[in-house]
Amino acid sequence: AQRVTQPEKLLSVFKGAPVELKCNYSYSGSPELFWYVQYSRQRLQLLLRHISRESIKGFTADLNKGETSFHLKKPFAQEEDSAMYYCALSKNSGGSNYKLTFGKGTLLTVNP
Amino acid sequence: GAGVSQSPSNKVTEKGKDVELRCDPISGHTALYWYRQSLGQGLEFLIYFQGNSAPDKSGLPSDRFSAERTGGSVSTLTIQRTQQEDSAVYLCASSLELDWGRNSPLHFGNGTRLTVT
């Protein structure tokens, strides 16, 4: 079974400091990993996906298969980054069984 | 275009009553998910519909929970004999099936906040 673990429920940093939100996964096959974000009073939305290898709003995430991790990083946090962040995993084996499994989320607070 | 629409946005019900939550996915999206979001529990998977395949009901917490998706579009999540622990935000999401059975990223609705008194 696939599982996603976000060890930190809460993370607080100061503006301008680096931030890393941890995500570890458990899946025997080849996974596809995502980060979703929910800002205050907004819908949950996709932030980035590992296959795109892109930087969104200054955030990056690298899939480390050896450590089964997909940590989200930003070198200089901004106050507007304060939100709930969810790491998610899906199978990448084709077919119709494409179920997205989420971690429990990390609430990031960036203090001025 | 319109996003995923959920109704009602808020629902307060008495313990023991049945409730129905509705989700209108984005037109053309073949995959539809229901999740439950509560403090301390994060985003809990409930059920997943994909095209004409049998739904994945593995996340439903009890037999009081059921869901239907009619005509491959609108979905209804029903909770019978509601309990206080059912209080949460119920999120619906849809996505488009791409080639090789993979889906595009999920588009979420605003959710229904259910309060059982």
Side-chain angles (χ1 to χ4, degrees), chain B residues 12-55:
Chain B
V12 180
T13 190
E14 292 180 351
K15 177 181 172 182
K17 301 280 190 184
D18 297 352
V19 295
E20 265 191 11
L21 312 180
R22 178 186 168 101
C23 173
D24 280 281
I26 293 173
S27 177
H29 279 195
T30 57
L32 187 147
Y33 299 74
W34 282 99
Y35 288 90
R36 181 165 68 177
Q37 186 179 36
S38 51
L39 282 176
Q41 296 300 317
L43 212 58
E44 178 186 9
F45 166 77
L46 297 177
I47 188 168
Y48 162 56
F49 297 89
Q50 172 60 289
N52 294 321
S53 301

Side-chain angles (χ1 to χ4, degrees), chain A residues 23 33-35 48-50 61-63 68-72 87:
Chain A
C23 172
L33 276 298
F34 307 80
W35 277 98
L48 56 79
R49 55 196 307 185
H50 90 270
D62 291 319
L63 179 60
T68 60
S69 68
F70 187 58
H71 303 328
L72 183 68
C87 182

